[in-house]
Amino acid sequence: MTGPSERIRVLIADDQPLVRRGVALILAPDPAFDVVAEADDGQRAVELAHQHQPHVVVMDIRMPVLDGVQATERLRRELPACRVLALSTFDMDEYVVAALRAGACGFLPKDASPEELVAAVSTVHTGEAAVAPRLLTRLISAYVTAPRRPQPPSQVPSAGELTPREVEVWHLLATGLDNTEIASAMDISASTVKNHITSVFAKLGVRDRAQAVIAAYESGLVQAGSVNSAG
């Protein structure tokens, strides 16, 4: 985390010079950001991350030498405080799920607006998942392999240490509801939902909302087609 006046250090990794320059030109003029380096492949991104210690790496998924998924996995191991925002040409991309599983804190399609890029980098820096909940659910349900039938919550392998309320929160989160919607559905406060989610993350051993949704699909708590994918 940065201090109150510290700028968010950003490293941009993309094999297309035009994309790198475009991202830099959006972020650099903003006093909240400091673009510390640019890389044209995943291996160079990891090297520069060690050198410059960025808070956030804006990482293209498909790059030569070392792709963005492998680079993200290495950063998670070697520089756990560094957050990754994955970039993809398409918003429905199986490589995005691989990047989220590897430790990316969110993703952004390359046709996103400058405002969306700024917001996503800021969100990832806070440790939150930078992806709309329903889009995340639709993406993961399309590409994550899950049991053929949904499992009763009490029989979900990953749910062994969760309380019944925590399982309910996890299930609602995985169906694409945000915290406010979960609070309304369960008739509890948003702060209570946040506390439950923090506990769920800790017990599941996941770092953010994206990984919690992946775990829900992989465990069979929810499955593709069982939730509303609108949005």
Side-chain angles (χ1 to χ4, degrees):
M1 296 295 291
T2 58
S5 60
E6 187 179 359
R7 301 169 76 187
I8 300 172
R9 296 191 304 277
V10 181
L11 187 154
I12 301 165
D14 197 295
D15 62 332
Q16 299 178 15
L18 190 60
V19 173
R20 291 199 308 273
R21 289 285 48 191
V23 172
L25 287 171
I26 291 169
L27 296 178
D30 191 317
F33 304 108
D34 180 13
V35 177
V36 296
E38 298 179 23
D40 58 6
D41 64 64
Q43 177 64 38
R44 186 62 177 152
V46 174
E47 294 170 355
L48 289 172
H50 278 277
Q51 180 180 342
H52 293 279
Q53 300 288 309
H55 298 113
V56 177
V57 177
V58 179
M59 180 88 74
D60 184 25
I61 292 177
R62 306 192 190 207
M63 290 187 292
V65 185
L66 192 71
D67 67 28
V69 175
Q70 295 170 304
T72 296
E73 201 279 332
R74 281 192 56 186
L75 288 175
R76 183 184 64 177
R77 291 197 322 266
E78 299 170 15
L79 295 170
C82 178
R83 306 284 182 177
V84 173
L85 173 65
L87 284 183
S88 174
T89 303
F90 307 104
D91 62 2
M92 295 296 288
D93 185 344
E94 62 185 312
Y95 283 85
V96 171
V97 173
L100 294 171
R101 187 185 280 112
C105 293
F107 83 94
L108 203 64
K110 289 186 177 180
D111 62 357
S113 69
E115 293 78 15
E116 288 172 323
L117 173 65
V118 168
V121 173
S122 298
T123 298
V124 163
H125 174 249
T126 69
E128 296 293 326
V131 54
R134 285 186 176 80
L135 179 57
L136 174 67
T137 299
R138 193 174 83 226
L139 173 72
I140 291 172
S141 70
Y143 295 110
V144 173
T145 301
R148 297 182 68 179
R149 296 180 179 178
Q151 303 295 310
S154 61
Q155 296 179 21
V156 172
S158 302
E161 297 183 1
L162 302 183
T163 67
R165 294 291 267 178
E166 288 170 347
V167 172
E168 186 177 359
V169 168
W170 183 27
H171 181 270
L172 293 173
L173 179 156
T175 64
L177 301 191
D178 62 26
N179 288 11
T180 301
E181 291 168 331
I182 294 172
S184 177
M186 296 181 66
D187 196 24
I188 57 180
S189 70
S191 61
T192 299
V193 170
K194 187 173 182 179
N195 290 338
H196 281 317
I197 289 175
T198 298
S199 181
V200 167
F201 287 0
K203 291 180 179 180
L204 293 178
V206 301
R207 63 185 287 176
D208 57 33
R209 200 179 201 96
Q211 291 190 343
V213 175
I214 290 173
Y217 277 85
E218 290 181 330
S219 69
L221 181 67
V222 293
Q223 67 172 8
S226 66
V227 299
N228 180 9
S229 63

